[in-house]
């Protein structure tokens, strides 16, 4: 989805229609003039009627353009965890690989995060555990408030939401760095001092972007205190703990803030970008045998993280302004978001649904081949045993 590209096409479409309307109006005016001559004395009625028709069409076109101000991308990210709180790796899936990397870093540096994670996902089994049969399955649609009753660990929900927001911010920062490069004209660079309020709501970003000279895990990395630490953007400390300097390049007068408990807002002069990340502890609907053929890790549980990216534009700016250069990154972000965060789009990208049949047939072929080899081996062994018995009988 490219909202700005679509908006630009609609802008061209509107101006094309205006030009066409002008020529049509000249043609119509000649006809009206002829009718006016026929109905002398009633020219005012024709003038008002024609003006009304023009304004009516113009208002409809502007209204249709204005309705393009909002765009939404709704999807789900995948979280893979086993009953011992260990993460399963889904190769080439950006969100999963980055989630593992950041989770390991923050848990090794902050015991509170580690305890929160293990308490939610580490299962304890006892000898008295009993299997309860289930006679039927009930599926129903519930609200977010009702969902919290099923998964009561609010701390882990908040922690995972903060992790997801941080991954999105780092991902967005990389995209904008690639887009703007060394360009500093008409650009605002947000750093820690600009988002002090948001840091209170996102402990993950606060921890990872915290100056490394103030963190114990990086003391062994500081060899020369005279080095210019402002030039260091990324550093790996002891136990694979990460430091990432926070810098986010955006158009002027853009702010980053928190809205409610689960919504990250990046608000600019001509746009608003909202990321709604929500983890409720529900399972993801993954394709058949994805865990066996791709994850290859037993006893994994697949959880779903609900994501909604909403872009609100101010269309009158785009209608009248010829310069969109500093905002074209929105299209790039929308186009890449699904490929890097949505597990369903990821499966389409790797062609898993198309390949599963071939994988299953190949798996069946291997099983059959192993069984035939085993049967041949058993048959040869029986023949050899019979031959030995026959030879022993001849000797006797």
């Amino acid at each position: 989805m490219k909202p700005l590209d679509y908006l630009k096409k609609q802008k061209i479409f509107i101006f094309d229609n205006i030009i066409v309307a002008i020529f049509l109006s000249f043609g119509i005016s000649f006809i009206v003039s002829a009718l006016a001559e026929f109905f002398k004395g009633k020219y005012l009625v024709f003038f008002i009627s024609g003006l009304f028709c023009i304004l009516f069409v113009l208002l409809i076109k502007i209204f249709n353009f204005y309705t393009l101000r909002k765009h939404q991308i709704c999807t789900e990210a995948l979280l893979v965890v086993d009953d011992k709180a260990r993460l399963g790796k889904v190769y080439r899936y950006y969100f999963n690989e980055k989630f593992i990397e950041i989770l390991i870093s923050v848990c090794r540096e902050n015991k509170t995060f580690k305890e929160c994670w293990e308490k939610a996902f580490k299962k304890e089994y006892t000898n008295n555990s009993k299997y309860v049969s289930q006679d039927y399955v009930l599926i129903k649609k519930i609200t977010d408030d009702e969902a919290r009753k099923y998964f009561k660990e609010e701390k882990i929900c908040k922690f995972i939401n903060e992790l997801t927001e941080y991954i999105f911010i780092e991902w967005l920062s990389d995209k904008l760095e690639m887009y703007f490069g060394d360009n500093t004209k008409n650009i605002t660079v947000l750093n820690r001092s600009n988002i002090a309020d948001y840091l209170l709501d996102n402990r993950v970003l606060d921890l990872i972007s915290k100056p490394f000279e103030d963190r114990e895990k990086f003391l062994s990395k500081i060899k020369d205190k005279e080095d210019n630490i402002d030039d260091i953007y990324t550093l790996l400390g002891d136990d694979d703990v990460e430091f990432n300097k926070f810098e986010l390049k955006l158009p002027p007068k853009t702010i980053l803030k928190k809205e409610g408990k689960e919504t990250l807002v990046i608000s600019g002069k001509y746009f608003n970008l909202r990321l709604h990340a929500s983890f409720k502890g529900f399972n993801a609907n993954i394709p058949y045998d994805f865990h066996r053929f791709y994850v290859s890790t037993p006893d994994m549980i697949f959880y779903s993280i609900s994501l909604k990216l909403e872009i609100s534009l101010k269309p009158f700016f785009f209608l009248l302004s010829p310069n969109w250069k500093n905002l074209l990154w929105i299209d790039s972000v929308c186009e890449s978001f699904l490929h890097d965060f949505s597990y369903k789009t990821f499966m389409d990208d790797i062609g898993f649904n198309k390949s599963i049949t071939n994988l299953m047939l190949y798996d069946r072929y291997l099983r059959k081949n192993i069984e035939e080899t085993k049967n041949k081996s058993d048959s040869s062994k029986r023949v050899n045993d019979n031959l030995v018995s026959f030879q022993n009988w001849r000797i006797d």
Side-chain angles (χ1 to χ4, degrees):
M1 184 185 73
K2 294 183 177 181
L4 285 183
D5 186 58
Y6 187 66
L7 206 63
K8 190 174 183 179
K9 291 178 181 177
Q10 292 299 313
K11 175 182 176 180
I12 296 172
F13 181 71
I14 286 176
F15 286 118
D16 286 346
N17 281 358
I18 291 175
I19 293 172
V20 171
I22 291 173
F23 282 98
L24 284 175
S25 63
F26 276 113
I28 294 171
S29 65
F30 291 127
I31 298 173
V32 171
S33 298
L35 290 174
E37 286 294 326
F38 185 75
F39 297 100
K40 290 183 178 180
K42 297 182 180 180
Y43 62 88
L44 185 62
V45 175
F46 285 99
F47 176 78
I48 294 174
S49 301
L51 185 63
F52 174 79
C53 292
I54 293 172
L55 291 176
F56 178 73
V57 173
L58 188 62
L59 288 174
I60 289 178
K61 289 295 181 182
I62 293 175
F63 176 76
N64 290 337
F65 189 79
Y66 185 72
T67 57
L68 302 174
R69 69 190 187 279
K70 285 189 177 182
H71 301 266
Q72 281 188 359
I73 302 175
C74 298
T75 187
E76 295 177 4
L78 188 65
L79 180 61
V80 186
V81 193
D82 69 1
D83 54 9
K84 295 182 181 178
R86 296 175 301 188
L87 285 167
K89 190 169 185 178
V90 183
Y91 294 95
R92 296 176 57 203
Y93 177 32
Y94 173 86
F95 177 80
N96 173 266
E97 292 181 343
K98 184 59 68 173
F99 193 96
I100 294 173
E101 175 189 329
I102 302 303
L103 180 66
I104 290 174
S105 176
V106 297
C107 286
R108 287 179 176 174
E109 189 171 8
N110 190 314
K111 292 182 179 179
T112 304
F113 290 146
K114 183 179 180 182
E115 291 172 358
C116 176
W117 179 266
E118 291 183 346
K119 182 181 178 182
F121 293 107
K122 199 170 185 178
K123 309 300 180 184
E124 299 292 340
Y125 296 100
T126 63
N127 295 329
N128 296 328
S129 299
K130 295 182 179 179
Y131 172 77
V132 179
S133 61
Q134 192 169 354
D135 296 327
Y136 64 93
V137 176
L138 174 65
I139 300 175
K140 65 176 183 177
K141 186 176 181 179
I142 60 176
T143 63
D144 288 347
D145 292 333
E146 291 173 333
R148 292 187 180 92
K149 297 177 183 178
Y150 289 87
F151 198 81
K152 298 179 180 180
E153 295 290 341
E154 293 186 6
K155 290 183 178 179
I156 191 61
C157 293
K158 185 175 185 295
F159 178 43
I160 291 176
N161 291 342
E162 290 174 6
L163 267 167
T164 305
E165 286 182 12
Y166 171 77
I167 293 171
F168 176 79
I169 290 172
E170 184 179 328
W171 172 83
L172 180 62
S173 177
D174 292 340
K175 295 291 181 185
L176 294 177
E177 182 65 32
M178 292 173 62
Y179 181 81
F180 292 116
D182 296 330
N183 179 28
T184 57
K185 188 178 180 181
N186 296 324
I187 296 297
T188 297
V189 180
L190 298 181
N191 50 44
R192 279 178 63 92
S193 61
N194 303 122
I195 57 166
D197 293 337
Y198 178 73
L199 290 176
L200 298 174
D201 294 315
N202 194 320
R203 299 163 295 170
V204 177
L205 176 59
D206 184 34
L207 179 60
I208 291 183
S209 63
K210 184 178 179 181
F212 63 86
E213 62 270 22
D214 299 331
R215 295 159 67 179
E216 184 180 353
K217 295 289 185 181
F218 293 91
L219 295 179
S220 62
K221 304 293 180 179
I222 306 175
K223 297 179 181 180
D224 190 353
K225 294 183 180 179
E226 295 181 358
D227 289 343
N228 188 4
I229 61 176
D230 292 335
D231 295 334
I232 300 176
Y233 282 80
T234 301
L235 187 63
L236 196 63
D238 298 335
D239 298 328
D240 293 332
V241 172
E242 292 187 15
F243 160 75
N244 287 321
K245 186 177 181 179
F246 175 76
E247 279 193 0
L248 191 61
K249 292 183 178 180
L250 289 165
K253 298 181 180 180
T254 302
I255 60 173
L256 186 148
K257 61 183 180 180
K258 188 83 170 182
E259 191 176 86
K261 293 182 178 180
E262 299 174 340
T263 305
L264 164 69
V265 180
I266 299 176
S267 179
K269 189 175 180 180
Y270 304 113
F271 74 96
N272 283 313
L273 188 149
R274 288 180 172 83
L275 176 73
H276 179 80
S278 179
F279 174 74
K280 299 293 187 301
F282 290 133
N283 294 115
N285 182 21
I286 62 169
Y288 177 75
D289 267 353
F290 176 75
H291 63 287
R292 184 160 67 97
F293 287 112
Y294 200 87
V295 179
S296 300
T297 306
D299 303 324
M300 282 291 170
I301 303 173
F302 296 82
Y303 294 97
S304 170
I305 302 174
S306 176
L307 299 175
K308 181 170 72 174
L309 184 65
E310 181 179 304
I311 301 96
S312 300
L313 305 170
K314 296 184 178 178
F316 290 118
F317 163 77
F318 296 99
L319 182 62
L320 302 175
S321 175
N323 185 15
W324 298 15
K325 187 176 180 181
N326 283 354
L327 293 172
L328 291 177
W329 57 269
I330 293 176
D331 282 353
S332 176
V333 166
C334 292
E335 192 173 20
S336 303
F337 179 74
L338 287 175
H339 293 282
D340 291 332
F341 285 83
S342 171
Y343 75 88
K344 294 181 180 178
T345 304
F346 163 74
M347 289 178 184
D348 290 338
D349 291 341
I350 64 173
F352 183 82
N353 290 325
K354 296 179 180 178
S355 304
I356 184 66
T357 303
N358 293 332
L359 288 170
M360 293 174 67
L361 291 174
Y362 182 67
D363 182 62
R364 182 179 296 179
Y365 166 77
L366 289 178
R367 291 173 182 272
K368 185 178 179 181
N369 194 27
I370 291 171
E371 289 179 1
E372 289 178 353
T373 303
K374 184 179 178 182
N375 292 335
K376 288 180 180 179
S377 177
D378 292 342
S379 178
S380 299
K381 186 177 179 181
R382 285 196 299 270
V383 169
N384 291 334
D385 290 342
N386 293 335
L387 183 58
V388 170
S389 300
F390 177 74
Q391 289 176 348
N392 291 336
W393 177 78
R394 291 288 301 272
I395 293 170
D396 294 337

